[in-house]
Amino acid sequence: MKKRTLTALLAVALTLCSVSGCGNGGAASDGQSDSLAEDNSQIVENVEGQETGLQENTGKVEFWNDKLASTEQSDLDKLAESASTASGVNVEFISYTDVASMRTAVEQSIHSPDAPGLFTWWSGVDLKTLADAGVVEDLTNVWEEYIIPNGVPENVTDSLTFDGKIYAAPYSIIYSSIVYNKDLFDQYGLKEPETFEEFENVCQTLVDNGITPLGVDAGNGLWGFKWFQCLIAAYDPQLYLDLCANQVKYTDERVVEVMDKWKEMYDKGFFSIPLDQTDLHKAEASGEIAMQEMADYEAINLCDNFGGGNYGTFVMPPVHPDTKKTVFFEIAPICVSKNSADKGSAIEVLKTWYGENNQRVFNEVTNFSCSSNVESDNSCAKEMVEFAVDSENYNLMLRYYENAGNVNIRDVAIDQLLKFELGDASVLEILNTIQAKADEVLGEGYAN
Amino acid sequence: MIKTSKKTENCINMILITFGIVWITPICFVLFNLFKTKQEYNLGSLWELPESFNMEIISINFRNLIANKLFLSFGSTFLYCSVAAVAGVFIALLAGYGLTHTNIRHKNFWFMLIYSGTIFPFETYLIPVYKAYYKLGLYNTRTGMMLFFTALCIPFAMFVFRNFFLGVDNEICEAAKIDGANSWQTLMKIMFPMAKAPLAIVLLQQFTACWNNLMFGLTFTKSANIRPVMASLSLLGDANVPQLFLACIFVSLPAIILFFLLRDQIVVGYAYTVK
Amino acid sequence: MAKKTKNNWSDYLYIAPAVALVVIFFVSSIFYTTYLSFFEWNGIGEKIFVGGENYRLLCKDSNFLVSLMNTVIWVAASLITSLLIPFVLAALITRSSGANVFRFIFYFPATLSGTVGGLIISSLLSTYGLPALLGQILGNTARSNWLNTPYFNTFLMICAGVWQGVGLNMLLFIAGLRNMDISPIESAMIDGASGLKLYTKVVVPLIKPTIIVVMLMTIVNSFKVFDMIWVTTKGGPYRTSETLAFTMYQESFVYSQYGRGSAVAVILTLIILVVSYFNVKNSYKNV
């Protein structure tokens, strides 16, 4: 009797397990769930086929994003209205504030018709994953006909291109350069440096007056590469590109030379301890430090929210006067899901997204800009865009984080650079550690 | 209770007051910072006093919060959390009783099974539950949120009740049985009234935990009116910290009110010790 | 336990709803995670079966070992901070004259959401917070960033966590102290026991059930600690303050290597399961 009861119970438990297993796409039934997703995408493709390439416009689209926290509702409404009016499609923003939530929601729905029409994503490997899986729309035509003509620089598409197709449109193109406290510079009679020597002199003067010249950003454990990329590019822009492309070893003597210079500047007291972004702004606004390498939207934040001092911006001057200065940029992509029921309307929205009016609203709401047709109100941000489009005097390069050819090497490098900035390791130690990882990933013989 | 002399009591009071001051200082800073503007906050530190105690700033921020739809899903969230806490705690109460004063076999196995719900890292639930909800049509529904939060409340509550009931003498049950009560009546008439303190604590804790959960609400829903209030709160971001503080105070109110409602129950003694 | 012979079907109904919900939502999820841990998967593309490769790589990964070590530190330190402090507070509060007020004060931070608690703690610990205040008092103007000091920051976070973390445990202890059998204490006091000795020798054994609950929950929660690290150091600098739960999040959702992340989750789950099992087993032996 007892035994029978137990067996029955076990059976119930097992049934429950299997029911939940099915429902949850658990271990046993996972293959099934995948094939289901594939069925869905096939259905979508069939529908397309019947309409011979014409994409249905459902008149509405959801725009999933992880970028619109800290935005006032009234501003959001304004942006949604502007995008909706321009495209005739009802745009609804759905915002995520947690990476895990955003990823889960997008990745697990992307094979289904309920995938978001538009969504922001991360460039580099993450975008490549989407492109390889064939779940995002090829936007090459949209770029040619609607994005570039609206003043979005053409040379930023490389980072969004895989196998010759452009898989994303820009949500924001972010430039960065050195933003300095003008009042401090005036106080000590300093000018924006034109040569690297002048740059060092400026720093030395500030140190002599008890001010830390350069702020180091430790925020998110991510920014260790900021001054590294600036210095490498100031020495030799090509070296930066080669290093990113793994054409040059991290222990290459030219890299060592730059690092030794960096170390020398550290020893002279040019750099602050690594601080969080808010603390850095506070320090620059109060005149404790004089300069930071920062992105345009951070410059706007510094100017608007930290007491309204005067700030100017310049790009780190090159060591050899005949090379161009280097401006770095990063790009946040917007993708269109191939399987989304709203794909057609999503593309309609993208076509008008870069129009001057919409971009102006977008700039007002988010401080970001993509198009050179729209000028930022902020002088620093405006100047950064001017650097970026001035290809006679400036190189425009993708920042190290997305540019580095291999993420595993990159992640080690960023950690090691921060370690150096904290003074916890020497130049050779960190370069050897990075190189060891590179040798492990790429094989010893690379870049010879 | 242990008897305490007047002298030791004073001494204890002093110690607690010292600790208490440490504990409420950060809260005071929060309150002071409500009177700062965004700029003022960014430039100074947390513990600098505001330039003036200007109510205007608070009222502007409050109107902003309303405009930002912070309170839009207050009702929905309240529904999820109260249903989940009450249902979850009740289910856990049954389980806690079942695992101690009934004839279920392999009690330890069943206990570990339910208890295991607390030990898995929460992030592992995201993908499977999302998939399941999507397929069953529970994604972005209030029912889905209530179900999930209910499940979330069970393991810890069960653990507390099981421990509590283990401490209750089996003789009481036997006595009740002799009086003709079946096990259900024993639970409802004798055990339930005794368990007031753990019940109150667990209700309070689980309600607060659900209320403050961000990740699941954000992942399993997308519409503004279904997303829990924490999602709206996190959307405020920390661009305007004084406003965020104000929002947090309003959002924490239900948990605080619940604490006050339950404050006498939390410390109530067993009914049977009095007998 | 007198009448064990009669096996009552209906008794299982008591645990059925709890078992069903837990199995449906949680146990199945961990099966799925275990399954994932044998694959290489980026969340979207094909899952590639790699067998035990994820586990093998983890054992060689120095970051994982650091993370494991940090987890042990968190658990060990939390046992002191989350067990001892709430117990002392509860013992004091039950004997003070303003119990209601104190209960509220110490519980209050626990009602705040993690967002605002984290914000308060990170502003306290950031460069312009406590370090600057201390610097001012000591006349030292050099800036320091405590949160960027490897390993020291872990202890800082543990201490800061006490502020929001004691509330619930304190309430549980207060309830335990209120409900314990008073007669052994009275007889011990007649025998002349008092103060510390009374607590360690008489009270602690009396509230053992409460201690078990609090201890196990503390162990589980400190194994799973994530939020505190996320709001203060994000696992940095250079991944020195990560714990297993954090590494799992990082691998899965930041680097989108779900297989590796799942492997970390499985290891973490196994560790907690083993630790809890022995705890439960031992602690109920003599109940």
Side-chain angles (χ1 to χ4, degrees):
Chain A
M1 167 74 185
K2 257 184 267 168
K3 232 174 211 167
R4 209 181 299 159
T5 322
L6 200 71
T7 329
L9 253 167
L10 265 172
V12 171
L14 276 175
T15 327
L16 275 172
C17 281
S18 59
V19 165
S20 69
C22 279
N24 289 5
S29 61
D30 195 72
Q32 198 186 334
S33 74
D34 277 358
S35 67
L36 216 118
E38 275 154 29
D39 286 349
N40 282 339
S41 59
Q42 262 165 13
I43 292 166
V44 174
E45 272 161 29
N46 284 342
V47 170
E48 266 173 45
Q50 282 162 9
E51 292 184 12
T52 55
L54 270 176
Q55 281 145 4
E56 197 187 352
N57 184 338
T58 48
K60 63 170 177 58
V61 70
E62 285 175 7
F63 191 156
W64 293 10
N65 67 84
D66 64 339
K67 309 261 188 280
L68 288 170
S70 304
T71 312
E72 298 279 336
Q73 185 65 40
S74 55
D75 284 344
L76 274 181
D77 294 343
K78 213 160 62 180
L79 184 57
E81 202 197 306
S82 150
S84 303
T85 327
S87 60
V89 172
N90 187 16
V91 180
E92 188 190 352
F93 290 105
I94 291 172
S95 304
Y96 291 82
T97 49
D98 175 83
V99 194
S101 300
M102 172 82 182
R103 254 188 206 282
T104 307
V106 172
E107 289 174 348
Q108 302 312 316
S109 66
I110 195 112
H111 293 286
S112 76
D114 287 319
L118 295 164
F119 62 99
T120 59
W121 203 241
W122 301 275
S123 48
V125 201
D126 289 315
L127 182 60
K128 188 169 185 299
T129 305
L130 294 183
D132 288 348
V135 290
V136 283
E137 195 67 9
D138 168 14
L139 298 175
T140 317
N141 292 333
V142 182
W143 266 92
E144 275 167 13
E145 287 173 44
Y146 300 95
I147 302 182
I148 296 171
N150 273 311
V152 178
E154 199 176 346
N155 47 358
V156 300
T157 54
D158 286 356
S159 61
L160 309 175
T161 307
F162 302 96
D163 291 335
K165 293 173 184 164
I166 312 175
Y167 282 102
Y171 175 81
S172 54
I173 303 173
I174 298 162
Y175 306 104
S176 62
S177 62
I178 297 173
V179 175
Y180 65 95
N181 184 327
K182 245 186 191 157
D183 300 328
L184 272 181
F185 268 47
D186 290 346
Q187 192 181 338
Y188 300 108
L190 298 168
K191 293 199 321 274
E192 291 180 10
E194 282 300 322
T195 65
F196 196 78
E197 210 183 327
E198 279 176 35
F199 178 66
E200 284 188 281
N201 290 339
V202 166
C203 291
Q204 192 58 53
T205 315
L206 288 162
V207 169
D208 293 343
N209 287 290
I211 291 157
T212 310
L214 304 165
V216 177
D217 186 350
N220 293 339
L222 183 92
W223 297 108
F225 62 84
K226 266 190 181 178
W227 289 111
F228 175 71
Q229 66 181 17
C230 284
L231 283 166
I232 296 259
Y235 265 76
D236 181 359
Q238 192 56 43
L239 177 64
Y240 169 73
L241 294 176
D242 290 345
L243 194 66
C244 287
N246 292 321
Q247 305 283 325
V248 163
K249 291 197 175 193
Y250 282 83
T251 45
D252 188 281
E253 57 184 20
R254 287 170 293 171
V255 181
V256 177
E257 187 194 342
V258 177
M259 288 298 294
D260 283 340
K261 183 73 196 171
W262 194 9
K263 176 78 176 113
E264 185 197 316
M265 291 166 79
Y266 252 101
D267 291 341
K268 286 181 185 163
F270 286 2
F271 289 96
S272 74
I273 56 165
L275 295 170
D276 289 336
Q277 192 78 69
T278 319
D279 286 345
L280 274 176
H281 288 343
K282 213 179 268 187
E284 182 163 353
S286 62
E288 275 183 49
I289 66 167
M291 296 175 258
Q292 288 181 66
E293 214 278 344
M294 69 169 97
D296 46 18
Y297 66 94
E298 281 298 345
I300 298 176
N301 182 21
L302 172 65
C303 296
D304 290 355
N305 299 326
F306 286 81
N310 289 311
Y311 301 94
T313 183
F314 63 89
V315 177
M316 185 184 272
V319 175
H320 308 291
D322 48 337
T323 44
K324 288 196 247 178
K325 298 176 191 172
T326 306
V327 181
F328 290 96
F329 77 97
E330 71 176 288
I331 188 163
I334 307 177
C335 299
V336 176
S337 329
K338 208 170 219 169
N339 299 325
S340 171
D342 300 325
K343 181 174 76 171
S345 25
I347 291 177
E348 285 307 310
V349 173
L350 272 191
K351 285 179 181 171
T352 51
W353 183 260
Y354 301 93
E356 204 172 324
N357 279 332
N358 190 55
Q359 281 296 305
R360 181 162 299 125
V361 176
F362 180 70
N363 177 258
E364 279 165 23
V365 169
T366 63
N367 287 342
F368 293 126
S369 63
C370 298
S371 159
S372 53
N373 290 347
V374 176
E375 281 186 354
S376 173
D377 297 336
N378 180 284
S379 62
C380 291
K382 196 174 134 189
E383 217 173 322
M384 287 188 206
V385 178
E386 285 166 14
F387 297 148
V389 293
D390 178 7
S391 55
E392 259 177 47
N393 298 309
Y394 295 90
N395 297 310
L396 184 60
M397 289 183 185
L398 187 61
R399 65 172 187 170
Y400 180 75
Y401 193 80
E402 285 86 10
N403 210 345
N406 182 294
V407 274
N408 296 317
I409 304 174
R410 173 198 76 192
D411 291 336
V412 171
I414 289 174
D415 285 345
Q416 292 300 316
L417 288 168
L418 183 62
K419 199 168 184 175
F420 168 77
E421 289 173 329
L422 283 164
D424 294 346
S426 73
V427 167
L428 281 180
E429 273 166 21
I430 69 148
L431 290 180
N432 286 333
T433 314
I434 303 171
Q435 192 53 47
K437 184 70 189 182
D439 288 338
E440 181 197 320
V441 173
L442 303 169
E444 293 248 356
Y446 91 98
N448 276 332
Chain B
M1 266 329 299
I2 305 171
K3 287 188 192 72
T4 315
S5 72
K6 201 77 210 155
K7 205 178 120 201
T8 18
E9 196 181 297
N10 281 338
C11 189
I12 285 172
N13 283 344
M14 283 316 293
I15 298 173
L16 281 175
I17 287 170
T18 322
F19 271 102
I21 288 172
V22 174
W23 243 251
I24 52 171
T25 322
I27 307 286
C28 294
F29 289 136
V30 170
L31 293 178
F32 286 148
N33 280 291
L34 292 179
F35 295 95
K36 288 184 185 171
T37 61
K38 184 161 85 172
Q39 298 243 353
E40 202 184 337
Y41 178 85
N42 282 342
L43 272 180
S45 339
L46 192 64
W47 39 69
E48 272 166 24
L49 286 178
E51 278 162 17
S52 65
F53 286 91
N54 188 349
M55 285 304 288
E56 189 63 21
I57 294 172
I58 294 190
S59 82
I60 289 173
N61 280 340
F62 185 68
R63 260 172 286 157
N64 247 330
L65 292 180
I66 295 173
N68 280 318
K69 297 185 180 168
L70 178 67
F71 303 109
L72 177 72
S73 56
F74 225 78
S76 298
T77 319
F78 194 77
L79 179 77
Y80 310 147
C81 296
S82 27
V83 168
V86 170
V89 168
F90 183 70
I91 292 173
L93 180 86
L94 293 184
Y97 176 73
L99 290 172
T100 46
H101 293 281
T102 62
N103 295 325
I104 292 173
R105 300 188 56 199
H106 307 290
K107 289 200 178 83
N108 267 334
F109 166 75
W110 296 114
F111 165 68
M112 280 308 280
L113 186 71
I114 303 176
Y115 168 79
S116 71
T118 63
I119 68 176
F120 307 136
F122 277 2
E123 290 80 13
T124 57
Y125 305 151
L126 288 179
I127 295 177
V129 176
Y130 184 96
K131 278 185 166 180
Y133 268 28
Y134 181 73
K135 243 171 252 170
L136 300 173
L138 286 171
Y139 173 65
N140 200 26
T141 61
R142 293 194 170 90
T143 324
M145 287 308 291
M146 281 189 276
L147 258 179
F148 187 80
F149 279 153
T150 305
L152 210 54
C153 289
I154 293 172
F156 173 71
M158 180 280 301
F159 189 31
V160 172
F161 286 128
R162 172 176 181 264
N163 249 289
F164 178 81
F165 288 137
L166 273 182
V168 174
D169 213 324
N170 215 31
E171 279 169 29
I172 299 173
C173 298
E174 297 301 325
K177 237 171 239 171
I178 291 161
D179 288 347
N182 59 27
S183 76
W184 174 254
Q185 284 164 333
T186 318
L187 171 66
M188 297 315 286
K189 297 247 168 69
I190 299 168
M191 297 299 216
F192 188 72
M194 269 200 293
K196 268 186 188 160
L199 197 66
I201 295 178
V202 165
L203 262 182
L204 178 66
Q205 145 76 9
Q206 295 305 329
F207 181 88
T208 316
C210 293
W211 188 268
N212 285 338
N213 184 286
L214 169 68
M215 195 172 59
F216 295 122
L218 213 48
T219 312
F220 301 148
T221 63
K222 61 178 179 181
S223 311
N225 56 339
I226 294 179
R227 277 194 168 175
V229 73
M230 268 305 137
S232 326
L233 183 75
S234 74
L235 270 178
L236 288 178
D238 53 4
N240 185 346
V241 176
Q243 185 182 314
L244 180 64
F245 281 153
L246 187 71
C248 277
I249 288 176
F250 278 103
V251 167
S252 301
L253 276 181
I256 298 170
I257 292 171
L258 192 64
F259 177 86
F260 275 104
L261 290 178
L262 294 173
R263 71 186 186 284
D264 295 329
Q265 310 298 323
I266 286 167
V267 290
V268 84
Y270 294 177
Y272 84 109
T273 50
V274 189
K275 269 185 201 165
Chain C
M1 312 268 163
K3 279 187 261 175
K4 228 181 178 178
T5 44
K6 197 182 152 218
N7 198 338
N8 212 338
W9 253 110
S10 60
D11 283 351
Y12 285 95
L13 290 177
Y14 285 114
I15 60 166
V19 169
L21 280 170
V22 167
V23 168
I24 288 173
F25 280 101
F26 307 143
V27 179
S28 63
S29 294
I30 201 70
F31 278 131
Y32 180 74
T33 306
T34 316
Y35 161 80
L36 269 189
S37 72
F38 296 110
F39 289 82
E40 193 183 311
W41 188 42
N42 56 22
I44 291 176
E46 287 282 303
K47 300 188 187 73
I48 304 160
F49 183 76
V50 291
E53 187 69 7
N54 286 323
Y55 293 94
R56 202 179 61 79
L57 284 176
L58 275 183
C59 295
K60 277 171 47 187
D61 184 354
S62 60
N63 288 324
F64 175 74
L65 298 177
V66 168
S67 161
L68 193 65
M69 189 191 71
N70 281 332
T71 311
V72 174
I73 297 177
W74 269 94
V75 173
S78 300
L79 274 182
I80 300 171
T81 55
S82 311
L83 208 57
L84 199 64
I85 297 179
F87 179 71
V88 171
L89 281 178
L92 293 175
I93 286 174
T94 46
R95 297 178 67 173
S96 77
S97 41
N100 265 325
V101 182
F102 290 126
R103 259 200 333 256
F104 178 65
I105 288 176
F106 292 110
Y107 185 74
F108 184 76
T111 62
L112 293 177
S113 74
T115 320
V116 80
L119 194 69
I120 293 171
I121 286 167
S122 55
S123 12
L124 274 175
L125 296 180
S126 76
T127 311
Y128 283 85
L130 275 181
L133 195 71
L134 276 182
Q136 242 165 31
I137 295 168
L138 301 172
N140 175 6
T141 52
R143 294 274 174 238
S144 57
N145 192 343
W146 291 353
L147 290 176
N148 262 334
T149 316
Y151 308 111
F152 174 59
N153 53 14
T154 296
F155 289 96
L156 269 182
M157 288 189 281
I158 293 171
C159 294
V162 172
W163 181 65
Q164 247 187 322
V166 296
L168 174 67
N169 294 351
M170 180 197 69
L171 287 189
L172 286 170
F173 276 128
I174 290 179
L177 286 171
R178 282 286 156 118
N179 287 330
M180 68 193 172
D181 193 357
I182 198 80
S183 47
I185 297 177
E186 278 167 349
S187 54
M189 282 174 89
I190 293 166
D191 291 345
S194 67
L196 202 60
K197 213 169 177 189
L198 182 71
Y199 274 91
T200 51
K201 290 268 153 61
V202 189
V203 175
V204 167
L206 276 175
I207 59 158
K208 200 176 161 202
T210 314
I211 294 183
I212 293 168
V213 173
V214 172
M215 188 174 71
L216 264 178
M217 291 320 296
T218 301
I219 290 178
V220 170
N221 287 334
S222 51
F223 265 118
K224 285 166 55 179
V225 64
F226 172 79
D227 288 355
M228 177 55 103
I229 303 176
W230 184 254
V231 296
T232 44
T233 66
K234 290 251 190 328
Y238 46 92
R239 302 189 71 176
T240 48
S241 60
E242 289 186 6
T243 61
L244 287 180
F246 194 93
T247 307
M248 181 237 149
Y249 186 94
Q250 191 90 352
E251 294 287 353
S252 298
F253 299 109
V254 178
Y255 300 127
S256 72
Q257 296 181 316
Y258 287 96
R260 273 179 79 115
S262 301
V264 179
V266 169
I267 293 175
L268 178 60
T269 305
L270 281 179
I271 296 175
I272 308 180
L273 206 57
V274 169
V275 172
S276 321
Y277 179 73
F278 281 106
N279 255 300
V280 170
K281 212 177 145 198
N282 286 334
S283 48
Y284 289 120
K285 242 180 212 160
N286 36 8
V287 167

